[in-house]
Amino acid sequence: MSEGILFVLSAPSGAGKTTLSNLVMDHFQALTPSISYTTRKARPGECNGVEYRFIDHAEFERMVNAGEFAEHADVHGNRYGTSKADLDALLTSGKDVLMDIDVQGAAQIRSSRKGGIYIFIVPPSMEVCEERLRARGAEDEESIQRRLEGARNEIKEAESYDYIIINDKLELAAETLRSVIVAEHAGGERVFNKVEEIFQLN
Ligand code: ADP
Ligand code: 5GP
């Protein structure tokens, strides 16, 4: 069985990355989220093992020291990381994986793995980003300010991504993200390897 495709999605907080991920996830049977580990407290409605695996600082540190993370980073005062074992198991089972990670984590994955597809989501403006953060109602004022301060620096990193999607009209942005996923399934070496297998070309 051929490996799945790794899609790495980054965005400043409030751009709509979670909303878009959920919208496209329903459309592709083989697409699965990678569930990160975090020291952040669960928001109301979040469940351990669904949005994140919520762990304490000591356990996070243990995993770092044991080399269990494919990438990890401090983001807005909390720690987040992706388990190497979980990621490898999903990809080798043929699943496509959608990773929702920050720009530091994406850079670590880019330098350690081949073949990932990097997608950056931007809000239509900083004002809209702030409105969305406030409308979500999940953060206190200090956390909102920290996220907004980080946004401009994160957006600078969009240059190194394969695709940039401006999330203005939600359905249009979701359609664009779905199109990227569909197009990557028809792209280059990955597909040719499959064709070689089918037609026994080597
Ligand atoms: P992120 O995961 O990037 O931090 P979310 O997906 O949680 O952002 O979105 C932040 C808020 O903005 C949510 O309340 C969401 O419903 C809203 N939102 C996301 N995309 C749009 C959009 N295109 N138009 C209007 N509201 C949006
Ligand atoms: P939130 O606390 O709003 O869920 O996420 C805050 C930020 O952490 C987002 O930019 C999100 O992409 C990022 N993030 C979530 N999981 C991971 C992870 O496993 N690794 C890294 N590097 N960033 C993550």
Side-chain angles (χ1 to χ4, degrees):
M1 181 184 285
S2 52
E3 273 213 351
I5 305 176
L6 177 60
F7 293 97
V8 179
L9 208 59
S10 300
S13 188
K17 182 167 31 90
T18 310
T19 309
L20 281 171
S21 305
N22 291 337
L23 278 174
V24 300
M25 208 73 77
D26 295 342
H27 276 67
F28 301 96
Q29 256 191 352
L31 185 65
T32 186
S34 127
I35 300 176
S36 300
Y37 287 78
T38 184
T39 60
R40 159 163 93 56
K41 295 277 168 287
R43 293 178 185 140
E46 286 183 333
C47 296
N48 191 25
V50 179
E51 288 83 5
Y52 286 103
R53 298 183 210 286
F54 297 98
I55 57 174
D56 61 20
H57 281 273
E59 175 61 5
F60 198 99
E61 195 57 24
R62 188 202 62 74
M63 291 180 73
V64 170
N65 291 332
E68 292 179 20
F69 286 125
E71 62 75 35
H72 64 91
D74 286 23
V75 190
H76 316 308
N78 295 301
R79 303 186 82 183
Y80 298 83
T82 307
S83 153
K84 207 183 283 176
D86 290 354
L87 185 58
D88 288 338
L90 288 171
L91 290 169
T92 52
S93 74
K95 293 265 190 203
D96 290 344
V97 177
L98 192 62
M99 283 177 92
D100 166 345
I101 61 174
D102 88 311
V103 294
Q104 306 167 75
Q108 292 170 39
I109 295 289
R110 198 183 281 112
S111 62
S112 62
R113 286 175 187 253
K114 287 199 308 183
I117 308 300
Y118 294 81
I119 305 162
F120 200 94
I121 311 291
V122 279
S125 67
M126 278 313 296
E127 289 72 22
V128 170
C129 193
E130 179 167 354
E131 277 167 24
R132 287 183 186 167
L133 271 177
R134 293 189 187 284
R136 186 168 69 188
E139 261 78 37
D140 59 21
E141 187 58 30
E142 190 196 338
S143 175
I144 288 177
Q145 289 308 329
R146 210 179 311 135
R147 285 164 190 256
L148 289 172
E149 278 159 24
R152 213 166 280 279
N153 282 334
E154 285 161 357
I155 292 172
K156 282 186 195 150
E157 302 299 321
E159 192 183 9
S160 55
Y161 283 66
D162 301 310
Y163 298 94
I164 301 174
I165 299 175
I166 299 177
N167 178 22
D168 186 358
K169 297 278 176 277
L170 185 60
E171 197 36 54
L172 179 61
E175 195 51 39
T176 308
L177 182 54
R178 285 183 207 116
S179 305
V180 166
I181 294 169
V182 170
E184 286 299 334
H185 273 276
E189 193 186 348
R190 194 176 285 116
V191 188
F192 188 67
N193 290 343
K194 210 179 277 179
V195 169
E196 274 186 325
E197 249 173 66
I198 297 168
F199 295 96
Q200 297 173 354
L201 299 181
N202 50 17

